Amino acid sequence: MIRFGVIGYGYWGPNIVRNLHGLDSTCVTMISDKNPAALARARKAYSSIELVSDPMEIVRSTNVDAVAVITPVWTHYELAKAALENGKHVFVEKPFTSSVAQAEELIEIAARKNLKIMVDHTFLFTGAVSKIKELIDSGVLGDLYYYDSLRVNLGLFQHDVSVIWDLAPHDLSIMDHLIKRDPEAIVATGEMHLDGVEDVAYITVYFPDRIIAHINVNWLSPVKMRTTLVGGQKKMLVWNDLVADEKVRVYDKGVDITSGEGLRDILVSYRTGDMWAPQVPQVEALRVELDYFAKCLMEGNTPFNDGMAGLRIVRMLEAADRSIRKRGELVHL
Ligand SMILES: NC(=O)c1ccc[n+]([C@@H]2O[C@H](COP(=O)([O-])OP(=O)(O)OC[C@H]3O[C@@H](n4cnc5c(N)ncnc54)[C@H](O)[C@@H]3O)[C@@H](O)[C@H]2O)c1
């Protein structure tokens, strides 16, 4: 059983603690939060777990094998570094770090000390993303054309990061997982209306083989929407994460262009076949993810959502920031 110390018991931390507490492969021995009100909530929920305000007590404890860093983005590097330097494996929230340089340093420390890093790219463990990956990898969609995602809602405003660093890591990590190629370039545009960070943004990512991705992230939307289109040469799908049934619908639709003898003999034919909704497993993604991490640690395997995966996302986030500062200039990766 892997013994976890959890740092950060704000909005997301309780979900991590609940899942780690409920799994057979893991337990939580310590929780740290510098906010006494957060610790009081933890005390009410888990009377037997040791609670401390100083996270250094967790990273130095002999009663902890792995540290979960569930704090604001700007603290990830410092806390994960302290954990690694004290010989602890690290589970760290998305986005991995605030910069590429920080991510590279953490990866180097972990490699040197033979420790594992896992970045919480939760969506990769959802039934919907597993199903979409299966459809792509088995060739059902055919060659990929595009990934197009709408991830908008009103708030929750973060003060330390923009809407890009808050919401786009979800789509960037899903794209990274599904497309499996290194992006070539990024264009991003956005605006700050309220708080000195972008609250509305549009990101375009160019991949090899003419695969293009677009992400629309927005904290100023009157309604919450989570809709993603994935288009392939053979089939296209729509994933609506907010519905209980038929989250993923696959459409046998497409366009074929054939050219005849002469220049004007281009024939465009539209294919409209069936729509079907594959069975999407109903799982709590965090539970699956944390169990997978514990198994990786016990068997000495590197998780696929490791520090390198975290770094690839941070690299795209940094590029998006550079592009935004230049009002949408193309940034090569
Ligand atoms: N994977 C997901 O779907 C998902 C969802 C929400 C948030 N997150 C991520 O989780 C992280 C935390 O987000 P949140 O919404 O829970 O934030 P939050 O502000 O609600 O909670 C953070 C908690 O960390 C505590 N904290 C901060 N610095 C600390 C330190 N040095 N030592 C001890 N405690 C400290 C704060 O007191 C607070 O209680 C962020 O990185 C965010 O991106 C991920």
Side-chain angles (χ1 to χ4, degrees):
M1 185 181 273
I2 306 292
R3 299 165 306 167
F4 275 84
V6 179
I7 305 176
Y9 197 80
Y11 162 69
W12 195 242
N15 294 324
I16 304 292
V17 173
R18 175 174 51 79
N19 280 288
L20 288 172
H21 191 68
L23 283 167
D24 291 337
S25 55
T26 58
C27 64
V28 180
T29 52
M30 296 177 84
I31 298 174
S32 159
D33 200 299
K34 59 181 189 181
N35 177 357
L39 285 185
R41 277 191 290 120
R43 159 95 48 236
K44 209 165 167 207
Y46 305 97
S47 55
S48 63
I49 299 178
E50 188 184 351
L51 306 178
V52 292
S53 52
D54 180 2
M56 292 307 126
E57 287 194 44
I58 287 192
V59 305
R60 294 195 195 110
S61 171
T62 51
N63 204 17
V64 166
D65 307 305
V67 174
V69 178
I70 322 297
T71 51
V73 182
W74 62 272
T75 64
H76 291 179
Y77 162 75
E78 183 193 343
L79 293 169
K81 184 175 173 180
L84 292 168
E85 281 176 340
N86 282 276
K88 308 293 191 291
H89 302 288
V90 169
F91 177 85
V92 57
E93 266 317 315
K94 62 81 198 162
F96 182 19
T97 54
S98 304
S99 73
V100 165
Q102 291 177 347
E104 287 173 341
E105 189 185 338
L106 295 182
I107 291 168
E108 187 275 316
I109 300 172
R112 184 157 38 82
K113 294 190 151 261
N114 201 19
L115 294 165
K116 306 287 183 206
I117 296 174
M118 179 157 170
V119 181
D120 182 13
H121 292 153
T122 325
F123 272 98
L124 308 189
F125 295 85
T126 57
V129 172
S130 304
K131 180 56 69 180
I132 295 169
K133 183 161 175 56
E134 196 182 300
L135 292 167
I136 292 172
D137 290 352
S138 63
V140 170
L141 262 58
D143 291 340
L144 283 187
Y145 288 162
Y146 63 84
Y147 174 102
D148 190 340
S149 190
L150 181 64
R151 191 174 293 277
V152 304
N153 46 258
L154 198 61
L156 303 159
F157 267 81
Q158 309 282 321
H159 302 285
D160 59 324
V161 290
S162 69
V163 72
I164 290 189
W165 286 72
D166 181 38
L167 293 183
H170 295 308
D171 288 297
L172 296 176
S173 60
I174 296 167
M175 281 157 39
D176 177 67
H177 188 56
L178 297 179
I179 297 173
K180 292 186 297 192
R181 313 225 187 133
D182 289 331
E184 294 175 334
I186 286 197
V187 169
T189 51
E191 270 307 344
M192 310 172 186
H193 299 95
L194 298 173
D195 203 18
V197 290
E198 284 82 14
D199 39 42
V200 177
Y202 309 95
I203 308 165
T204 303
V205 188
Y206 293 92
F207 286 90
D209 297 324
R210 289 180 291 171
I211 301 172
I212 189 163
H214 184 259
I215 308 170
N216 172 347
V217 282
N218 186 341
W219 281 331
L220 295 179
S221 161
V223 290
K224 180 170 178 171
M225 289 191 261
R226 296 281 186 269
T227 306
T228 304
L229 305 174
V230 183
Q233 185 250 329
K234 290 188 193 156
K235 295 200 174 30
M236 302 171 180
L237 65 81
V238 182
W239 163 30
N240 181 350
D241 202 41
L242 297 186
V243 296
D245 295 322
E246 303 194 350
K247 272 185 191 292
V248 178
R249 292 174 169 214
V250 185
Y251 292 83
D252 184 10
K253 291 194 180 190
V255 186
D256 292 310
I257 298 201
T258 40
S259 48
E261 308 240 307
L263 258 183
R264 292 176 187 278
D265 286 345
I266 290 174
L267 299 171
V268 180
S269 58
Y270 296 94
R271 199 177 61 253
T272 53
D274 291 340
M275 182 283 286
W276 90 96
Q279 191 66 34
V280 169
Q282 298 273 2
V283 291
E284 183 169 359
L286 258 186
R287 187 182 167 85
V288 178
E289 181 178 22
L290 290 165
D291 193 35
Y292 167 66
F293 187 41
K295 302 243 158 73
C296 285
L297 295 183
M298 287 187 270
E299 290 161 15
N301 296 330
T302 300
F304 67 83
N305 50 328
D306 62 353
M308 290 303 291
L311 167 63
R312 292 196 293 276
I313 307 318
V314 173
R315 194 172 277 139
M316 288 191 261
L317 293 169
E318 262 194 12
D321 272 355
R322 280 206 297 282
S323 179
I324 277 198
R325 300 282 92 80
K326 301 256 174 95
R327 292 214 145 197
E329 193 174 282
L330 186 80
V331 172
H332 291 277
L333 286 156

